[in-house]
Amino acid sequence: MQATLSSSTSASRWKAAAWPLAILLALALFPPVAAALGLDFYIGFVRRVLVVALAAASLNFIMGFGGMVALGHAGFMGVGAYAVVLLSDAGFTSAWVMWPAAALLAAFAALVIGSISLRTKGVYFIMITLAFAQMLYFVFVSLRSYGGDDGYTLMARPALGMGLDMADEATLYWVVLAIVAALLWWLDRAAGSRFGAALVGIRDNEIRMRALGYPVYLLQLTAFVVAGAMAGLAGALLATGNSFVSPSMMHWTQSATLIVMVIIGGLGRRWGGPVGAAAWLALEEALKLHTSHWHMPLGLLLIATALYAPKGLAALSDLWARSKP
């Protein structure tokens, strides 16, 4: 009996890991296939999808699992992006210095903002995170030495060494894929850990979790800082890929778009962030090829998701699994 349960558990674990591994393999093979088909442009596009998926997954970690609806998450992406600009202007060229520094600076910003914002609840938390993000936005708009509202162009991409040419689109794609895959795997593990379970418990019944002795504020702040650091790294990767940074990337509308991506993908679903980001950006890119009024179909997608897939696109896999004999 025990052997049967063990084999059943192993089989379920393998099935759960099969799809992510298949998608990872397909993404790894994408650059040579795209180059062979003359679709080199889409190497950069898929790389951007991967980076935004990381940012959306980090937001889903605090919003879906922790119940913290932060309307300022793009601000941390902007902090990470401008960290690359500041270090580049100071003469640093190594990605080993610039990317971790971007994540740490964004984590520090999240620590400061979170330590204040988490003393509020509900709509007040939403509004105070929005206020802090807009403060960051106007700070970087005022930095005329770094382009102000016009943005700043990097002269060269950060160097990674080890014989890797970061100017090559495919090389940068694989580096970004490795980083994003590792962090998404870590987030998936964290969501399924005792820490993730505690966050879900706080989301569902904060008073009971306090009564059980859980340090609610510390757990929420830790998750908020981790999510901010990952968003900062995503911003640094965007800055590296685009070789350009603008304050517009941290405007509140970008934070709202991240929230929409999470909702479409599946709030509180482990792969909700990446699924929502991929669906939103892919549909946006496809619609732009045919019409300049692409906002309306995307709005219809959001309405259709709310009506027919309220748990998000990632939850459709459960329906598919239940429909199998």
Side-chain angles (χ1 to χ4, degrees):
M1 181 68 176
Q2 187 175 0
T4 303
L5 289 174
S6 177
S7 61
S8 176
T9 303
S10 300
S12 62
R13 287 179 178 176
W14 167 248
K15 289 180 180 178
W19 274 110
L21 289 174
I23 293 172
L24 179 61
L25 178 61
L27 288 171
L29 295 175
F30 180 75
V33 173
L37 296 175
L39 302 173
D40 302 79
F41 164 79
Y42 288 100
I43 297 175
F45 170 73
V46 176
R47 185 186 67 231
R48 183 167 69 93
V49 171
L50 289 170
V51 175
V52 176
L54 175 60
S58 66
L59 176 59
N60 190 33
F61 186 64
I62 59 173
M63 189 171 77
F65 292 94
M68 293 171 273
V69 184
L71 189 54
H73 205 61
F76 302 128
M77 295 181 66
V79 169
Y82 270 95
V84 172
V85 169
L86 295 171
L87 290 172
S88 177
D89 189 66
F92 291 91
T93 58
S94 174
W96 294 102
V97 174
M98 301 168 82
W99 291 350
L104 287 173
L105 187 58
F108 177 74
L111 177 63
V112 174
I113 294 172
S115 62
I116 299 172
S117 302
L118 287 170
R119 299 182 187 278
T120 64
K121 303 296 178 185
V123 68
Y124 300 103
F125 177 81
I126 297 173
M127 296 308 296
I128 199 170
T129 54
L130 169 62
F132 274 116
Q134 287 301 98
M135 287 169 60
L136 289 173
Y137 168 76
F138 286 113
V139 165
F140 287 105
V141 165
S142 65
L143 296 179
R144 297 300 175 187
S145 57
Y146 295 103
D149 199 26
D150 295 326
Y152 185 92
T153 301
L154 296 173
M155 294 298 101
R157 287 175 174 172
L160 202 59
M162 301 183 296
L164 297 174
D165 182 14
M166 296 292 280
D168 179 63
E169 293 295 325
T171 301
L172 179 59
Y173 173 96
W174 281 314
V175 170
V176 169
L177 176 62
I179 293 172
V180 171
L183 290 177
L184 289 181
W185 173 83
W186 186 89
L187 275 177
D188 182 62
R189 298 286 293 179
S193 68
R194 294 177 62 187
F195 176 69
L199 281 179
V200 173
I202 294 169
R203 179 198 67 191
D204 293 341
N205 196 327
E206 182 177 329
I207 296 176
R208 178 176 291 180
M209 295 298 286
R210 289 185 187 276
L212 290 172
Y214 282 86
V216 170
Y217 178 80
L218 182 60
L219 289 170
Q220 289 180 321
L221 183 59
T222 301
F224 197 83
V225 170
V226 168
M230 289 192 177
L233 180 58
L237 294 175
L238 273 182
T240 300
N242 297 335
S243 296
F244 178 78
V245 178
S246 169
S248 62
M249 72 182 300
M250 64 177 72
H251 195 265
W252 74 268
T253 54
Q254 300 302 317
S255 297
T257 301
L258 286 175
I259 290 177
V260 170
M261 289 177 180
V262 171
I263 293 173
I264 289 176
L267 189 63
R269 309 290 302 191
R270 292 189 181 181
W271 298 101
V275 170
W280 181 271
L281 293 175
L283 186 56
E284 177 185 327
E285 186 66 25
L287 291 172
K288 283 182 177 178
L289 295 175
H290 302 287
T291 177
S292 58
H293 305 288
W294 51 272
H295 297 86
M296 182 177 293
L298 286 176
L300 294 175
L301 169 65
L302 182 58
I303 295 173
T305 302
L307 291 175
Y308 302 108
K311 294 184 179 180
L313 298 178
L316 296 178
S317 61
D318 296 342
L319 298 176
W320 178 76
R322 285 198 294 267
S323 66
K324 292 178 65 178

